[in-house]
Amino acid sequence: MQHRGFLLLTLLALLALTSAVAKKKADCKYKFENWGACDGGTGTKVRQGTLKKARYNAQCQETIRVTKPCTPKTKAKAKAKKGKGKD
């Protein structure tokens, strides 16, 4: 009877450990294109990724699109900083 309890406890611990590892590594890996030009209407830029690798039977889309806000142009600020250093 003690062997059965020990075996059950060991099995549950192994199952919990396997589940924790799968959660950390069950992900999708994509290869992304370069960011596109800024869309003035939405203020965002877009890039697309194609599936490179799916780990641990993860449910992955073949292609995905991601967006991020456009960054303001900083060339004028960089030139101003260079000009101050020459004095």
Side-chain angles (χ1 to χ4, degrees):
M1 195 62 115
Q2 287 181 347
H3 282 264
R4 228 182 248 176
F6 179 75
L7 183 61
L8 182 60
L9 184 60
T10 304
L11 182 62
L12 287 174
L14 182 61
L15 184 61
L17 181 62
T18 304
S19 178
V21 169
K23 283 182 183 176
K24 285 185 179 180
K25 294 187 177 181
D27 56 354
C28 307
K29 299 290 182 183
Y30 292 91
K31 179 163 177 65
F32 285 95
E33 302 171 347
N34 291 330
W35 286 103
C38 182
D39 181 350
T42 61
T44 59
K45 46 185 166 179
V46 180
R47 72 177 177 174
Q48 185 169 320
T50 54
L51 183 63
K52 184 176 167 185
K53 183 187 285 187
R55 298 184 179 196
Y56 296 98
N57 296 326
Q59 299 296 320
C60 303
Q61 298 176 7
E62 286 296 318
T63 59
I64 59 172
R65 285 175 54 103
V66 291
T67 61
K68 74 174 185 178
C70 299
T71 55
K73 303 249 184 216
T74 57
K75 288 183 180 179
K77 290 181 182 178
K79 285 183 180 179
K81 286 182 181 179
K82 285 183 181 179
K84 288 182 181 178
K86 291 182 178 180
D87 291 338

PDB file of all heavy atoms in Angstrom, residues 26-28 30 51 54-62:
ATOM      1  N   ALA A  26       6.335  25.801 -24.661  1.00  0.00           N
ATOM      2  CA  ALA A  26       5.338  25.521 -25.722  1.00  0.00           C
ATOM      3  C   ALA A  26       5.011  26.814 -26.438  1.00  0.00           C
ATOM      4  O   ALA A  26       4.017  27.425 -26.188  1.00  0.00           O
ATOM      5  CB  ALA A  26       4.099  24.910 -25.126  1.00  0.00           C
ATOM      6  N   ASP A  27       5.869  27.244 -27.356  1.00  0.00           N
ATOM      7  CA  ASP A  27       5.644  28.501 -28.047  1.00  0.00           C
ATOM      8  C   ASP A  27       5.904  28.368 -29.540  1.00  0.00           C
ATOM      9  O   ASP A  27       6.336  27.334 -30.021  1.00  0.00           O
ATOM     10  CB  ASP A  27       6.505  29.617 -27.451  1.00  0.00           C
ATOM     11  CG  ASP A  27       7.984  29.285 -27.445  1.00  0.00           C
ATOM     12  OD1 ASP A  27       8.347  28.164 -27.799  1.00  0.00           O
ATOM     13  OD2 ASP A  27       8.774  30.159 -27.074  1.00  0.00           O
ATOM     14  N   CYS A  28       5.622  29.437 -30.247  1.00  0.00           N
ATOM     15  CA  CYS A  28       5.773  29.488 -31.696  1.00  0.00           C
ATOM     16  C   CYS A  28       6.918  30.450 -32.029  1.00  0.00           C
ATOM     17  O   CYS A  28       6.998  31.528 -31.469  1.00  0.00           O
ATOM     18  CB  CYS A  28       4.489  30.000 -32.336  1.00  0.00           C
ATOM     19  SG  CYS A  28       3.021  29.073 -31.828  1.00  0.00           S
ATOM     20  N   TYR A  30       8.782  32.671 -35.005  1.00  0.00           N
ATOM     21  CA  TYR A  30       8.519  33.257 -36.316  1.00  0.00           C
ATOM     22  C   TYR A  30       9.748  33.973 -36.851  1.00  0.00           C
ATOM     23  O   TYR A  30      10.559  34.488 -36.092  1.00  0.00           O
ATOM     24  CB  TYR A  30       7.362  34.266 -36.225  1.00  0.00           C
ATOM     25  CG  TYR A  30       6.031  33.614 -35.935  1.00  0.00           C
ATOM     26  CD1 TYR A  30       5.587  33.446 -34.636  1.00  0.00           C
ATOM     27  CD2 TYR A  30       5.240  33.148 -36.966  1.00  0.00           C
ATOM     28  CE1 TYR A  30       4.367  32.847 -34.365  1.00  0.00           C
ATOM     29  CE2 TYR A  30       4.011  32.539 -36.713  1.00  0.00           C
ATOM     30  CZ  TYR A  30       3.593  32.396 -35.407  1.00  0.00           C
ATOM     31  OH  TYR A  30       2.389  31.790 -35.154  1.00  0.00           O
ATOM     32  N   LEU A  51       5.834  31.329 -39.823  1.00  0.00           N
ATOM     33  CA  LEU A  51       6.171  30.321 -38.828  1.00  0.00           C
ATOM     34  C   LEU A  51       7.481  29.630 -39.172  1.00  0.00           C
ATOM     35  O   LEU A  51       7.673  29.141 -40.282  1.00  0.00           O
ATOM     36  CB  LEU A  51       5.042  29.291 -38.735  1.00  0.00           C
ATOM     37  CG  LEU A  51       5.215  28.213 -37.673  1.00  0.00           C
ATOM     38  CD1 LEU A  51       5.242  28.820 -36.279  1.00  0.00           C
ATOM     39  CD2 LEU A  51       4.094  27.192 -37.775  1.00  0.00           C
ATOM     40  N   ALA A  54       7.362  25.345 -34.395  1.00  0.00           N
ATOM     41  CA  ALA A  54       6.348  25.212 -33.348  1.00  0.00           C
ATOM     42  C   ALA A  54       6.849  24.180 -32.351  1.00  0.00           C
ATOM     43  O   ALA A  54       7.205  23.067 -32.725  1.00  0.00           O
ATOM     44  CB  ALA A  54       5.019  24.776 -33.948  1.00  0.00           C
ATOM     45  N   ARG A  55       6.916  24.549 -31.082  1.00  0.00           N
ATOM     46  CA  ARG A  55       7.433  23.645 -30.057  1.00  0.00           C
ATOM     47  C   ARG A  55       6.302  23.005 -29.267  1.00  0.00           C
ATOM     48  O   ARG A  55       5.308  23.647 -28.967  1.00  0.00           O
ATOM     49  CB  ARG A  55       8.330  24.411 -29.099  1.00  0.00           C
ATOM     50  CG  ARG A  55       9.531  25.005 -29.770  1.00  0.00           C
ATOM     51  CD  ARG A  55      10.386  25.657 -28.739  1.00  0.00           C
ATOM     52  NE  ARG A  55      11.573  26.232 -29.365  1.00  0.00           N
ATOM     53  CZ  ARG A  55      12.633  26.587 -28.693  1.00  0.00           C
ATOM     54  NH1 ARG A  55      12.681  26.444 -27.395  1.00  0.00           N
ATOM     55  NH2 ARG A  55      13.670  27.092 -29.315  1.00  0.00           N
ATOM     56  N   TYR A  56       6.508  21.754 -28.888  1.00  0.00           N
ATOM     57  CA  TYR A  56       5.609  21.024 -27.994  1.00  0.00           C
ATOM     58  C   TYR A  56       4.154  21.063 -28.453  1.00  0.00           C
ATOM     59  O   TYR A  56       3.259  21.358 -27.678  1.00  0.00           O
ATOM     60  CB  TYR A  56       5.727  21.547 -26.561  1.00  0.00           C
ATOM     61  CG  TYR A  56       7.078  21.328 -25.984  1.00  0.00           C
ATOM     62  CD1 TYR A  56       8.024  22.354 -25.972  1.00  0.00           C
ATOM     63  CD2 TYR A  56       7.456  20.096 -25.492  1.00  0.00           C
ATOM     64  CE1 TYR A  56       9.300  22.153 -25.466  1.00  0.00           C
ATOM     65  CE2 TYR A  56       8.727  19.880 -24.979  1.00  0.00           C
ATOM     66  CZ  TYR A  56       9.637  20.910 -24.964  1.00  0.00           C
ATOM     67  OH  TYR A  56      10.882  20.709 -24.457  1.00  0.00           O
ATOM     68  N   ASN A  57       3.941  20.833 -29.727  1.00  0.00           N
ATOM     69  CA  ASN A  57       2.587  20.770 -30.296  1.00  0.00           C
ATOM     70  C   ASN A  57       1.777  22.037 -30.045  1.00  0.00           C
ATOM     71  O   ASN A  57       0.579  21.992 -29.850  1.00  0.00           O
ATOM     72  CB  ASN A  57       1.823  19.558 -29.755  1.00  0.00           C
ATOM     73  CG  ASN A  57       2.474  18.261 -30.171  1.00  0.00           C
ATOM     74  OD1 ASN A  57       3.032  18.157 -31.257  1.00  0.00           O
ATOM     75  ND2 ASN A  57       2.424  17.271 -29.305  1.00  0.00           N
ATOM     76  N   ALA A  58       2.421  23.176 -30.014  1.00  0.00           N
ATOM     77  CA  ALA A  58       1.728  24.450 -29.830  1.00  0.00           C
ATOM     78  C   ALA A  58       0.850  24.716 -31.049  1.00  0.00           C
ATOM     79  O   ALA A  58       1.195  24.353 -32.165  1.00  0.00           O
ATOM     80  CB  ALA A  58       2.734  25.569 -29.643  1.00  0.00           C
ATOM     81  N   GLN A  59      -0.278  25.335 -30.822  1.00  0.00           N
ATOM     82  CA  GLN A  59      -1.184  25.713 -31.902  1.00  0.00           C
ATOM     83  C   GLN A  59      -0.705  27.057 -32.446  1.00  0.00           C
ATOM     84  O   GLN A  59      -0.886  28.079 -31.807  1.00  0.00           O
ATOM     85  CB  GLN A  59      -2.623  25.836 -31.386  1.00  0.00           C
ATOM     86  CG  GLN A  59      -3.176  24.547 -30.807  1.00  0.00           C
ATOM     87  CD  GLN A  59      -3.294  23.467 -31.862  1.00  0.00           C
ATOM     88  OE1 GLN A  59      -3.672  23.728 -32.992  1.00  0.00           O
ATOM     89  NE2 GLN A  59      -2.970  22.241 -31.478  1.00  0.00           N
ATOM     90  N   CYS A  60      -0.071  27.054 -33.614  1.00  0.00           N
ATOM     91  CA  CYS A  60       0.535  28.266 -34.180  1.00  0.00           C
ATOM     92  C   CYS A  60      -0.127  28.637 -35.499  1.00  0.00           C
ATOM     93  O   CYS A  60      -0.507  27.769 -36.281  1.00  0.00           O
ATOM     94  CB  CYS A  60       2.024  28.044 -34.430  1.00  0.00           C
ATOM     95  SG  CYS A  60       2.938  27.559 -32.968  1.00  0.00           S
ATOM     96  N   GLN A  61      -0.210  29.938 -35.752  1.00  0.00           N
ATOM     97  CA  GLN A  61      -0.679  30.423 -37.042  1.00  0.00           C
ATOM     98  C   GLN A  61       0.493  30.401 -38.013  1.00  0.00           C
ATOM     99  O   GLN A  61       1.631  30.636 -37.622  1.00  0.00           O
ATOM    100  CB  GLN A  61      -1.214  31.843 -36.920  1.00  0.00           C
ATOM    101  CG  GLN A  61      -2.398  31.963 -35.997  1.00  0.00           C
ATOM    102  CD  GLN A  61      -2.823  33.420 -35.841  1.00  0.00           C
ATOM    103  OE1 GLN A  61      -2.315  34.314 -36.509  1.00  0.00           O
ATOM    104  NE2 GLN A  61      -3.756  33.652 -34.953  1.00  0.00           N
ATOM    105  N   GLU A  62       0.224  30.149 -39.277  1.00  0.00           N
ATOM    106  CA  GLU A  62       1.291  30.120 -40.287  1.00  0.00           C
ATOM    107  C   GLU A  62       1.930  31.487 -40.471  1.00  0.00           C
ATOM    108  O   GLU A  62       3.136  31.599 -40.620  1.00  0.00           O
ATOM    109  CB  GLU A  62       0.748  29.616 -41.630  1.00  0.00           C
ATOM    110  CG  GLU A  62       0.481  28.120 -41.664  1.00  0.00           C
ATOM    111  CD  GLU A  62       1.750  27.296 -41.504  1.00  0.00           C
ATOM    112  OE1 GLU A  62       2.782  27.647 -42.107  1.00  0.00           O
ATOM    113  OE2 GLU A  62       1.712  26.305 -40.757  1.00  0.00           O
TER     114      GLU A  62
END
